[in-house]
Amino acid sequence: MYRFCSFLLFLLIFQFASAQTEKVPFQSLDVFELEWASDPQISPDGSQVIYIRNGFDIMNDTSQGNLWIVNADGTSNRKLTSREVNESQARWSPSGDRIAFVSSTKYGSEVYMYWVASGQIAKLTHLDKSPGNLTWSPDGKHLAFTMFISEKPPVVAKMPSKPKGAKWAKPARITDRLKHERDGGGYMQPGFTHIFVMSSNGGTARQITTDNYNHGSRLSFSPDGSTIYFAANRVEDWEYRFRNSEIYSVDIQTKHITVLTSQDGPDYAPTVSPNGKTIAFLGYQDKIQTYQNTVLYTMNLDGSNRKILSYDLDSSVSRVSWDTNGKGLYFTYDDKGNSKIAYITISGKITKLADNLGGTTIGRPYGGGSYSVSSKGALVYTQTRPEYPSDLAMLQPKQKEPELITDLNSDILDYRTLGKVEEVWYSSSFDGRQIQGWIVKPPFYDASKTYPLLVENHGGPISNYGDRFSPEMQLYASDGYVVFYPNPRGSTSYGEEFANLLYNNYPGEDYNDVMDGVDYLVNKGIVDNSKLYVTGGSAGGIMTAWIIGKSNRFKAAVVHKPVINWISKTLVADNYYGYANSRYPGQPWENYETYWKFSPLSLVGNVETPTMVVVGMKDLRTPPSEAKQFYHALKLRKIESVLVELPDASHGIYKKPSNLISKVAHTLAWLRKYN
């Protein structure tokens, strides 16, 4: 009897212990627990890395980022300062003895300095607005940055004095700008962004650009510190030539500005070689089409001898930096839904260094991320996989594989069973092209069963999904769906020709590419053909609305922040000026037949699918009027439908984590009605 009781007690203890360690699927509130690294900056000697450690504040429903510092081997990961405010733009001094950074205060953002040896910090500025593009001079004596300077409105009406204590309406907003509002920011105050220089010991910042142009680009000093190179659009009719920018130099003492390029198109992100003889920059000659690869150029300091360095790469180049000896440059690019870091010699030879860059866009599995390189070639970057958001990865010069030096999410993700992400390829029924996508299987997936399918279409459409961590995809999978997210034609990372297939043809055969993926999964026996669902946001919302206008195969749909009517969208969005000719020929009033032909609203008479429409009430990119047009049309046709409006959401719904959760929760609640 004693032995039996002992055995029973042991069994109960074992079961209790097992229950304590049993993993559960990813859950909604887990979103608030996620952390991710961004903007890593390695010290010149390669011994330490400073980075932004980001997370969510569950009480204030915001993201926040503090500066942390970690040794290159991953030891001594610690907070840089004791201040509990947002900190960013940390930049090592050339000698590595100081770190300049930007930090918020109760009056606005300011430039601060941190002394590495003592750990002391000091505020260096008293600025009117927030500084950006913080940059050291090569001798460490100066800091340059950009800052917005307000201007008076174009017309100021004289109002009568209001009685004492009266509460009148707010003053009128007045603009005469082509671009006068920005999604996520709202009304744009009159003014321009200019370049400033100040002593790294503090003091008054001196404005070195003038005139009514914006100078808000990356900054690069000449080796002697006398000149700053930057990009701007200082051309005549600059507002209407909105895709254009040129490379300029400005003498810090005389403030004299010299233009170095004249190509019609965006030339930007200049960076001067260590010997001061060559400028590398990004850009392309604008053909006015849907997509063009951004290429890497080099030229002499005076703008002569311009040439394309990345001629053999059929992908857009970004985030360029010189090596210390000036023999080549580091850069990033996307290839087949995965972001890479590579090195290119001045003769054009490219060597891939690292995969899996990204993880800094919390929500859906888009690209992103950044890196930095020490003087001896040690590379640190933000790495992501489907199992985790961005951590810091270190790659030493002779090392073949990178090593993670942070582990920011093991405290939560080690206790969750995530849906497994798998890559799929299939053939387009339209032209036989190979199309790439991914599926996320539900946690505890059983291969002997078939599952409902949820198609999640990406935005852009000129962008890409990839094998990156996504809390949204995991939440869908946790609810029992196989989630399919494809990169149909028009997606980036498959070459310029593939991304430009939607020129004057959007939506087009990208619809076929998505549906071919659905058929592929059905034919493989992975999903149940009688339980198909579809969703997507922005361009993915367009595709979702287009799909249910052309097919009744789906049991339910959720259309997030869509364009429904290209005629109305083109003239009310914050980027209303940017669609003619690059998307469709002419303006809407010149070619309304084409604009209407590609509008999902033109197909609404075919829709039989129960549909939820979701939009942020502060969305200026795909305004609520677009979502309402679709919802109202569906209601007039007596199609089962609901409209969900998120009061504090702009186009970037994920910026408030509760809105991200709300978006997913409403989507799943609607789909469950039709299981």
Side-chain angles (χ1 to χ4, degrees):
M1 183 67 181
Y2 173 77
R3 289 183 178 179
F4 175 76
C5 291
S6 297
F7 175 76
L8 184 62
L9 180 61
F10 171 79
L11 186 62
L12 290 171
I13 292 172
F14 177 79
Q15 289 177 337
F16 177 78
S18 297
Q20 298 303 301
T21 58
E22 183 180 354
K23 293 184 178 183
V24 298
F26 191 76
Q27 302 169 36
S28 293
L29 282 179
D30 293 341
V31 170
F32 280 103
E33 303 300 325
L34 296 174
E35 294 184 273
W36 63 100
S38 64
D39 194 22
Q41 297 292 318
I42 195 167
S43 60
D45 65 2
S47 64
Q48 294 180 300
V49 178
I50 189 168
Y51 69 99
I52 304 174
R53 185 168 179 168
N54 303 276
F56 291 125
D57 182 343
I58 196 170
M59 300 306 294
N60 295 304
D61 199 20
T62 59
S63 61
Q64 57 186 9
N66 300 125
L67 293 176
W68 283 59
I69 191 168
V70 61
N71 292 339
D73 62 2
T75 60
S76 191
N77 188 16
R78 62 202 184 276
K79 199 171 183 299
L80 185 72
T81 75
S82 60
R83 307 173 73 248
E84 293 297 334
V85 294
N86 281 313
E87 300 165 327
S88 63
Q89 298 185 58
R91 299 294 181 266
W92 292 90
S93 65
S95 61
D97 64 330
R98 291 165 291 168
I99 300 169
F101 65 97
V102 173
S103 179
S104 61
T105 72
K106 62 181 180 180
Y107 302 110
S109 294
E110 303 288 353
V111 178
Y112 281 73
M113 190 68 72
Y114 174 90
W115 282 264
V116 175
S118 66
Q120 291 181 309
I121 64 170
K123 185 175 72 171
L124 301 186
T125 59
H126 297 277
L127 303 174
D128 293 330
K129 302 288 184 181
S130 298
N133 298 295
L134 190 62
T135 307
W136 283 90
S137 64
D139 60 8
K141 294 181 178 179
H142 293 91
L143 291 166
F145 59 88
T146 59
M147 186 172 68
F148 180 79
I149 301 297
S150 298
E151 300 274 340
K152 291 182 178 180
V155 178
V156 181
K158 187 174 181 180
M159 292 286 291
S161 299
K162 63 181 180 181
K164 184 178 181 180
K167 296 181 179 179
W168 287 11
K170 293 180 180 179
R173 300 188 331 192
I174 308 166
T175 189
D176 61 355
R177 298 275 183 93
L178 179 75
K179 185 173 181 62
H180 58 91
E181 58 185 358
R182 181 184 296 113
D183 182 72
Y187 172 68
M188 296 171 63
Q189 296 288 338
F192 297 91
T193 299
H194 290 288
I195 300 172
F196 292 77
V197 173
M198 62 175 291
S199 168
S200 60
N201 291 323
T204 302
R206 189 167 66 97
Q207 183 176 333
I208 63 169
T209 58
T210 55
D211 304 322
N212 290 338
Y213 303 105
N214 285 305
H215 308 80
S217 81
R218 168 180 176 169
L219 307 176
S220 181
F221 277 92
S222 61
D224 64 4
S226 66
T227 304
I228 290 177
Y229 296 85
F230 64 96
N233 193 6
R234 293 174 56 95
V235 300
E236 186 179 356
D237 209 22
W238 62 272
E239 282 194 291
Y240 291 89
R241 293 179 61 188
F242 50 85
R243 290 189 188 88
N244 187 74
S245 59
E246 308 295 347
I247 306 298
Y248 298 86
S249 65
V250 57
D251 186 288
I252 292 174
Q253 296 302 319
T254 67
K255 303 182 183 180
H256 176 72
I257 293 176
T258 302
V259 59
L260 303 176
T261 62
S262 59
Q263 176 175 263
D264 190 13
D267 291 336
Y268 63 99
T271 178
V272 182
S273 63
N275 64 10
K277 296 181 179 180
T278 306
I279 300 172
F281 63 100
L282 301 175
Y284 59 82
Q285 186 172 0
D286 190 12
K287 304 174 195 173
I288 312 179
Q289 60 189 39
T290 296
Y291 176 80
Q292 293 176 236
N293 280 338
T294 298
V295 299
L296 173 60
Y297 293 96
T298 58
M299 65 181 179
N300 297 336
L301 284 188
D302 62 0
S304 63
N305 194 29
R306 174 177 177 146
K307 60 182 180 181
I308 297 175
L309 205 59
S310 61
Y311 190 85
D312 292 330
L313 183 67
D314 189 11
S315 187
S316 281
V317 174
S318 59
R319 304 178 187 89
V320 173
S321 60
W322 285 95
D323 64 11
T324 53
N325 57 25
K327 293 183 178 180
L329 299 105
Y330 300 90
F331 68 94
T332 68
Y333 68 102
D334 284 2
D335 182 56
K336 298 178 178 61
N338 189 277
S339 300
K340 319 285 188 182
I341 304 172
Y343 177 82
I344 185 169
T345 66
I346 55 175
S347 62
K349 181 182 178 182
I350 296 173
T351 303
K352 189 194 74 172
L353 301 176
D355 302 305
N356 307 318
L357 174 71
T360 55
T361 54
I362 300 298
R364 295 184 281 169
Y366 289 116
S370 59
Y371 73 93
S372 66
V373 187
S374 74
S375 59
K376 294 183 180 180
L379 171 71
V380 64
Y381 66 100
T382 56
Q383 185 196 87
T384 186
R385 294 301 297 144
E387 298 79 26
Y388 54 86
S390 62
D391 270 307
L392 297 185
M394 180 69 67
L395 185 68
Q396 298 293 344
K398 295 182 180 181
Q399 195 174 354
K400 291 185 178 181
E401 295 295 330
E403 293 182 4
L404 286 175
I405 61 170
T406 62
D407 184 11
L408 301 182
N409 290 283
S410 60
D411 56 337
I412 180 70
L413 296 183
D414 280 359
Y415 303 94
R416 299 292 181 266
T417 296
L418 299 179
K420 184 180 179 182
V421 176
E422 296 180 4
E423 180 183 12
V424 295
W425 285 88
Y426 55 93
S427 297
S428 166
S429 61
F430 175 72
D431 56 10
R433 292 176 188 270
Q434 289 297 293
I435 306 298
Q436 185 184 30
W438 286 263
I439 58 172
V440 189
K441 293 179 176 178
F444 315 112
Y445 174 79
D446 183 349
S448 67
K449 300 178 181 178
T450 56
Y451 289 82
L453 172 68
L454 177 59
V455 179
E456 215 287 348
N457 297 293
H458 74 62
I462 311 301
S463 62
N464 67 77
Y465 276 163
D467 49 351
R468 306 158 180 135
F469 180 78
S470 168
E472 291 191 32
M473 301 298 183
Q474 289 296 333
L475 289 171
Y476 292 140
S478 292
D479 211 53
Y481 296 91
V482 169
V483 186
F484 170 51
Y485 58 96
N487 278 342
R489 67 193 63 217
S491 300
T492 54
S493 77
Y494 305 92
E496 182 172 295
E497 189 257 352
F498 186 88
N500 203 45
L501 288 172
L502 301 185
Y503 181 43
N504 294 341
N505 185 38
Y506 173 63
E509 290 75 35
D510 46 337
Y511 162 79
N512 303 77
D513 295 345
V514 175
M515 298 303 289
D516 289 337
V518 173
D519 290 336
Y520 172 84
L521 296 173
V522 169
N523 293 335
K524 285 285 186 180
I526 297 172
V527 299
D528 186 341
N529 190 45
S530 66
K531 294 183 178 180
L532 305 180
Y533 305 87
V534 62
T535 188
S538 194
I542 299 170
M543 178 51 62
T544 303
W546 191 259
I547 284 173
I548 61 176
K550 294 178 75 68
S551 172
N552 292 321
R553 290 179 64 183
F554 295 88
K555 294 188 68 176
V558 181
V559 178
H560 295 281
K561 51 186 181 182
V563 174
I564 293 300
N565 182 342
W566 281 110
I567 298 171
S568 57
K569 141 72 177 184
T570 304
L571 295 175
V572 298
D574 65 331
N575 60 347
Y576 68 98
Y577 50 82
Y579 289 91
N581 300 317
S582 63
R583 178 66 71 200
Y584 309 116
Q587 295 288 359
W589 59 88
E590 299 169 331
N591 189 12
Y592 61 86
E593 295 93 346
T594 298
Y595 277 77
W596 178 251
K597 171 185 173 183
F598 290 107
S599 296
L601 192 59
S602 70
L603 301 177
V604 75
N606 302 331
V607 175
E608 301 295 337
T609 307
T611 302
M612 171 182 279
V613 186
V614 182
V615 70
M617 294 178 69
K618 294 183 178 179
D619 192 330
L620 297 178
R621 185 59 48 85
T622 55
S625 58
E626 290 295 304
K628 288 180 179 179
Q629 285 184 69
F630 198 52
Y631 170 68
H632 292 163
L634 292 172
K635 294 306 290 184
L636 289 172
R637 292 197 55 243
K638 298 183 179 180
I639 302 301
E640 292 181 82
S641 53
V642 293
L643 174 66
V644 177
E645 298 176 287
L646 302 175
D648 294 321
S650 62
H651 196 65
I653 289 176
Y654 67 91
K655 291 183 178 179
K656 281 187 176 291
S658 69
N659 277 335
L660 183 156
I661 294 170
S662 178
K663 168 192 168 184
V664 173
H666 282 92
T667 298
L668 291 174
W670 181 252
L671 300 184
R672 286 189 201 110
K673 288 185 62 177
Y674 303 95
N675 281 343

